[in-house]
Amino acid sequence: MSKTPKADASKAAVEALRDSGYRGPIDENGKATTHDEWCERHGIDPTTGRAK
């Protein structure tokens, strides 16, 4: 068990996605995302893996 209810909810959301068979990227809110969307939000060029 973590220290905050928000962390517990986030972990539960990730575990639910994984239990359902999803193996792709997950964003900070515990929702499924694409590799390109995740990279864009974090300022990374998805083709090179380096910072923009």
Side-chain angles (χ1 to χ4, degrees):
M1 197 55 103
S2 67
K3 295 182 180 186
T4 67
K6 183 177 179 182
D8 290 339
S10 178
K11 184 177 181 194
V14 170
E15 288 176 347
L17 277 173
R18 295 296 185 216
D19 289 346
S20 71
Y22 181 77
R23 295 290 179 250
I26 298 173
D27 69 11
E28 294 78 14
N29 299 316
K31 295 196 177 9
T33 186
T34 66
H35 173 74
D36 291 344
E37 289 171 348
W38 188 92
C39 287
E40 188 65 34
R41 274 197 301 276
H42 292 90
I44 298 171
D45 181 345
T47 56
T48 64
R50 296 177 185 240
K52 289 184 178 181

